[in-house]
Amino acid sequence: MTRLPFTKHYETPERTAAAVRHYRWIAQHAKPLRQPGLSVISPLSLTFERVEGRPAGPEDLPRLAALLGDTHGAAWTSDLALAALRTPHRFQDGTVFEDYLRPRQVALRRRLAQGHLPSKAGLQAMLELLEKSAEGPSSFYKDSNPRNFIVTEADDIVTVDTDDLTLAPMGYDLAKLIATLLLTHGALPRDAIDTALAAYNEAAQSHDARLGTTDRERLDDFLALHAVLTAPYIGRNCYRYSWPAHLRSRGTS
């Protein structure tokens, strides 16, 4: 039986063009990530190969962590070694690859307005944590939540929904994966986070020794940021669980 393709729709031609640009950037510079084939580009839609399978779960975390480490190392080697986290990068056509700080500063201020931070002091604490984390080699962020990884019947991992990319430190997108697994499935098995971090670092440093240095304290800083940034989505998008008390954000405590 022939599988019908999957068509994704966009609100503007600019959003469609950005999604194509990001898809192609990943295909060129982040080759460990396997994406579905892109067959038709229209002004307000993209048509992809349909991939059957299940979303990633906690049991996939070690393998996904290694995949992300390999991917981030490959992207650094291919294109991001000279990128600076505080400065927008550029795609080949000259369009902006957003920096790490600005979009998250905007989002954190929005979280205060939405009531997800208790006070301006809480906002300031999170902005300072964000500033502190903007160091080290540049990687990229693609929103690694479990719904964006499809595990096929052949046990392959296919990455979907790569519409939005920004620069990010090494380990930041691993923290997003861990955070969203916690919100989707609840508490992870003991030592799962440390095991995932070790797998990530081992894969990243296979590209360059400077890339495999994310420690648990730094990962916890990223988790604290994600706790605030994902707060509006709890109770939606399959996020059924609250943030674990032992990982609760500095800004919301």
Side-chain angles (χ1 to χ4, degrees):
M1 180 183 296
T2 302
R3 294 175 180 170
L4 295 175
F6 170 76
T7 299
K8 185 170 184 179
H9 299 275
Y10 297 86
E11 294 182 356
T12 66
E14 291 76 18
R15 287 287 295 164
T16 309
V20 173
R21 187 182 305 118
H22 297 166
Y23 177 96
R24 288 174 173 167
W25 185 89
I26 286 176
Q28 180 178 358
H29 299 294
K31 292 182 179 179
L33 286 186
R34 176 183 168 189
Q35 301 179 96
L38 173 58
S39 57
V40 179
I41 300 172
S42 300
L44 294 176
S45 68
L46 300 176
T47 299
F48 297 92
E49 165 196 10
R50 183 175 293 276
V51 179
E52 301 291 349
R54 61 172 177 83
E59 68 276 15
D60 304 302
L61 178 55
R63 188 156 65 120
L64 285 171
L67 174 62
L68 285 175
D70 188 22
T71 297
H72 293 164
W76 184 88
T77 302
S78 177
D79 189 42
L80 298 180
L82 298 180
L85 291 168
R86 300 168 185 270
T87 305
H89 192 47
R90 296 281 172 180
F91 291 98
Q92 288 183 346
D93 63 1
T95 54
V96 171
F97 192 137
E98 285 201 274
D99 67 285
Y100 172 61
L101 287 177
R102 191 199 66 79
R104 289 164 183 84
Q105 290 166 341
V106 171
L108 288 171
R109 292 188 176 98
R110 189 179 301 125
R111 297 299 177 265
L112 176 63
Q114 293 168 330
H116 298 297
L117 284 167
S119 63
K120 290 183 177 180
L123 170 63
Q124 186 59 36
M126 296 311 299
L127 289 172
E128 290 175 0
L129 184 62
L130 177 68
E131 180 75 23
K132 170 190 168 188
S133 70
E135 59 183 22
S138 293
S139 179
F140 69 97
Y141 170 76
K142 63 152 294 295
D143 185 13
S144 287
N145 73 65
R147 299 185 310 280
N148 290 342
F149 294 102
I150 298 175
V151 183
T152 70
E153 289 186 0
D155 208 31
D156 296 322
I157 296 175
V158 180
T159 303
V160 298
D161 196 6
T162 56
D163 292 352
D164 298 304
L165 301 181
T166 69
L167 294 176
M170 299 293 297
Y172 181 82
D173 214 2
L174 172 64
K176 177 60 181 288
L177 175 62
I178 293 168
T180 50
L181 283 171
L182 287 165
L183 295 176
T184 304
H185 297 279
L188 296 173
R190 181 174 178 157
D191 299 328
I193 295 177
D194 288 335
T195 299
L197 180 58
Y200 177 87
N201 280 331
E202 181 178 0
Q205 71 184 10
S206 70
H207 294 270
D208 190 285
R210 290 169 288 181
L211 306 181
T213 59
T214 303
D215 60 22
R216 183 57 193 268
E217 180 180 359
R218 185 162 169 80
L219 185 71
D220 285 346
D221 286 346
F222 295 147
L223 288 169
L225 289 165
H226 285 304
V228 175
L229 293 170
T230 59
Y233 308 108
I234 293 178
R236 301 162 47 197
N237 299 334
C238 300
Y239 296 160
R240 299 175 294 164
Y241 292 86
S242 299
W243 194 256
H246 69 288
L247 292 175
R248 190 167 295 137
S249 161
R250 288 84 158 160
T252 58
S253 58

